[in-house]
Amino acid sequence: MQNINEDTITQAVLASMAGCRDERLRRIMTSLVQYLHLFARDVELTEDEWFKAIQFLTDVGHITDDKRQEFILLSDTLGLSTLVTSQNNKKPPACTEATVFGPFFVEDAPEYDCGDDIANGAQGETCFVQGRVVGLDGSPIAGALLDVWQSDEDGFYDVQAQLQPGEAPQYRARAKLRSGPDGRFHFRSILAEAYPIPHDGPVGRMLAATGRHPWRPAHLHFMIQAPRYETLITHVFRNGDKYLDSDVVFGVRSTLIADWNRHEAGIAPDGTRMERPFYTLDYDFILNPAAATQ
């Protein structure tokens, strides 16, 4: 009978997985066990600290629901999401860079035509967004599917709204659009503003305990899909935001920073007469061909 102690426990756990037929799973679990045990030895983890860690993860699970993904927030704030995104999205330098997905995407966003107002009542200053979706050679990508989503001026996404029993969700500042024959897209929305991630739960307590703020710089989310091209998940960040260098989820890339230009009242890009100042954003996306077509 093997004597299990602090010196033999790691090898005992690894040996117990010898029958795992999934080579990738065995590699992942082997490394996970080795590093977890190394971590516990390195910091000389106490039983009280271990219990608090279990309680923390339990709390993360309890607060997670169909509107709030605390595990994604945890991954984001520990930099793991950005690390995994970077490892898996190596592209030619000319391509638009990917960044973190975030916890507020929804599959069934409403479909709009180019030029529509996707704000749908979301509060914020008016902003007109336009750009092109192109390939590495600059050729337009027609019919690309763009998922777009953002928070309102108070920093809340539509899916964070508290609904009454039986009340259907009202999607705001969220849309699916298609690029035109020339690869162009354009829509009306609201100005992107900085906002704090949800920090009234265990992840927020972790941030406070480690002396970190919960803020994200102003940004607009995009997911772009087109046949024969790799899917792009990214943000466009608002130039000048004070949180660009301290994004709580480490998602900023210098190539993804763009100017939101302010205009006085007058004629908007879509020909609308605006009685108040408005903003414009112009940003092109360059997609990487899928591996089979390169």
Side-chain angles (χ1 to χ4, degrees):
M1 180 176 179
Q2 185 177 8
N3 183 29
I4 302 296
N5 56 40
E6 66 177 290
D7 297 318
T8 62
I9 181 62
T10 303
Q11 287 305 314
V13 176
L14 298 181
S16 74
M17 295 186 289
C20 179
R21 296 182 178 180
D22 186 326
E23 291 296 328
R24 177 62 179 169
L25 176 60
R26 184 163 64 179
R27 178 183 175 187
I28 290 173
M29 291 302 298
T30 295
S31 184
L32 176 65
V33 168
Q34 288 174 326
Y35 280 104
L36 276 177
H37 287 206
L38 179 62
F39 159 76
R41 292 185 174 101
D42 181 54
V43 301
E44 298 180 327
L45 194 68
T46 68
E47 289 181 290
D48 182 59
E49 290 164 341
W50 172 83
F51 180 78
K52 287 178 179 177
I54 296 296
Q55 186 60 56
F56 172 78
L57 292 175
T58 301
D59 292 344
V60 170
H62 284 166
I63 203 171
T64 296
D65 57 23
D66 59 345
K67 292 183 179 180
R68 175 167 179 164
Q69 234 304 350
E70 195 82 357
F71 278 106
I72 290 181
L73 284 179
L74 178 59
S75 175
D76 288 352
T77 55
L78 292 178
L80 181 59
S81 299
T82 289
L83 174 57
V84 173
T85 296
S86 298
Q87 288 181 155
N88 288 274
N89 286 274
K90 295 180 173 66
K91 307 176 187 294
C95 289
T96 303
E97 290 188 89
T99 190
V100 293
F101 200 26
F104 298 116
F105 172 77
V106 298
E107 292 284 354
D108 55 346
E111 295 186 12
Y112 286 85
D113 292 328
C114 275
D116 285 347
D117 183 355
I118 74 168
N120 192 29
Q123 296 300 300
E125 297 182 78
T126 300
C127 181
F128 295 88
V129 180
Q130 67 176 359
R132 298 176 69 220
V133 182
V134 300
L136 268 174
D137 60 357
S139 58
I141 301 176
L145 178 63
L146 294 88
D147 269 278
V148 184
W149 66 103
Q150 68 176 108
S151 69
D152 62 20
E153 65 181 1
D154 294 320
F156 293 105
Y157 288 81
D158 49 8
V159 294
Q160 294 177 277
Q162 297 297 315
L163 302 178
Q164 298 301 317
E167 182 182 2
Q170 295 294 315
Y171 291 136
R172 297 185 170 92
R174 182 185 300 275
K176 290 182 183 291
L177 304 154
R178 292 277 182 182
S179 61
D182 56 359
R184 293 192 176 279
F185 64 89
H186 59 106
F187 58 89
R188 176 173 173 168
S189 189
I190 55 175
L191 178 67
E193 299 282 6
Y195 65 85
I197 63 169
H199 57 286
D200 57 341
V203 170
R205 295 196 297 273
M206 179 197 74
L207 293 176
T210 53
R212 296 174 57 190
H213 70 68
W215 285 85
R216 297 218 63 201
H219 61 273
L220 184 57
H221 291 264
F222 286 88
M223 181 169 74
I224 306 176
Q225 303 173 77
R228 301 184 302 279
Y229 289 90
E230 294 179 357
T231 295
L232 173 65
I233 296 172
T234 195
H235 307 359
V236 181
F237 294 90
R238 185 176 164 193
N239 195 14
D241 192 289
K242 68 178 182 178
Y243 296 110
L244 286 174
D245 290 327
S246 61
D247 180 8
V248 67
V249 307
F250 310 98
V252 178
R253 306 286 181 274
S254 60
T255 60
L256 301 178
I257 298 172
D259 292 322
W260 266 253
N261 295 306
R262 186 179 186 276
H263 306 267
E264 296 299 331
I267 304 301
D270 66 352
T272 304
R273 175 168 288 280
M274 303 296 297
E275 301 301 326
R276 295 182 177 180
F278 61 93
Y279 288 80
T280 58
L281 168 65
D282 194 335
Y283 194 88
D284 294 343
F285 296 93
I286 303 174
L287 303 190
N288 194 36
T293 65
Q294 290 184 25

